[in-house]
Amino acid sequence: MNRQGDFIWYELLTRDIDAAAAFYGDVIGWTVQDSGMPGMDYRLFVAPDGTMVGGLMAMPDGMPDPIWLGYVAVDDVDATAADYVAAGGTQHMPPTTLPGVGRMAMLADPQHAPLYIMRSESAETSTVFQPADRATPGHFVWNQLTAADPDAAIAFYRDRFGWRQEGSMPMGAWGDYKFLHSGDTGIGAAMGMVPGGQAGWQFFIHVADIDVAAARIAARGGDVLQGPDPIPGGGFSVVACDPMRARFGLTGARP
């Protein structure tokens, strides 16, 4: 069982799920399989090591743009959802139980960054997210929050999930890139707005070869928006969007 504050699942809501399945399969090496959920077309992204790492489904009516969303483990979905709203957040989907899966709610923080919270019915610990220093291809490795007021965002998540902010990297006129930890695990960072940036959460996936993946993004109709850029630890990162314009990130080496 994952502890409160761990990222345990990721999900892409998009306009064309067949096209998305083909794009991410080619770029990242994921395979896609049907979830078997009755009454809905919900598909699963599977990493090369056989781990189910994310979901894929059609975006609901009224949603303006395709988006990747993260799921954070909590001990009590109802209490956390109520606390989110009381602290200035917004509830987009009330606490709901999906039999055999768990109880969840879709929320947004006071600066409108959406996330799911979830209490899984599974007793197994999710390995969908792996720390960047020991990641394997196809797994999520970094969760980046861009906000107009990153300090307020950090305080909000600290009070909800128990995250700790420790360490930072200067970004010149754009302020500091502030690292976030869940327990002793580095899970991501928070930063202020930058030119060409997009507010909200962005999730990074590890690939074996960053240059090959970047080339495949362009070949499949997506766009590399930034990078490959060197990152601490000797790897490189890319910020990109898929053909339906959902943003995502990649990390990887140059073999």
Side-chain angles (χ1 to χ4, degrees), residues 32-55:
V32 178
Q33 65 184 48
D34 185 74
S35 67
M37 291 184 182
M40 65 184 301
D41 186 0
Y42 191 86
R43 305 183 196 180
L44 303 170
F45 287 121
V46 183
D49 66 2
T51 303
M52 292 181 289
V53 294

Side-chain angles (χ1 to χ4, degrees), residues 14-25 43 56 220 242-244:
T14 189
R15 295 188 180 94
D16 187 335
I17 56 178
D18 291 328
F23 174 84
Y24 289 99
R43 305 183 196 180
L56 170 63
R220 273 288 186 176
D242 67 24
M244 281 67 70

Side-chain angles (χ1 to χ4, degrees), residues 91-211:
Q91 180 173 275
H92 292 294
M93 184 186 85
T96 303
T97 297
L98 190 60
V101 177
R103 190 161 176 80
M104 63 196 72
M106 183 181 174
L107 310 165
D109 68 21
Q111 298 183 64
H112 312 298
L115 274 179
Y116 280 100
I117 58 171
M118 182 176 181
R119 172 76 176 184
S120 175
E121 290 187 8
S122 173
E124 296 183 6
T125 299
S126 169
T127 60
V128 169
F129 173 86
Q130 293 181 342
D133 60 351
R134 51 183 184 275
T136 53
H139 283 256
F140 288 83
V141 295
W142 199 247
N143 308 285
Q144 179 178 286
L145 176 63
T146 301
D149 188 342
D151 289 332
I154 290 168
F156 178 86
Y157 290 107
R158 178 197 64 214
D159 293 343
R160 311 284 89 73
F161 300 147
W163 290 346
R164 185 180 80 259
Q165 193 280 309
E166 182 178 312
S168 62
M169 184 173 65
M171 298 175 62
W174 300 324
D176 289 342
Y177 192 70
K178 300 184 177 184
F179 300 121
L180 302 173
H181 302 260
S182 177
D184 57 357
T185 302
I187 59 170
M191 61 185 290
M193 299 299 299
V194 299
Q198 181 173 290
W201 286 99
Q202 181 166 286
F203 309 108
F204 287 75
I205 306 132
H206 188 63
V207 293
D209 188 316
I210 196 71
D211 293 309

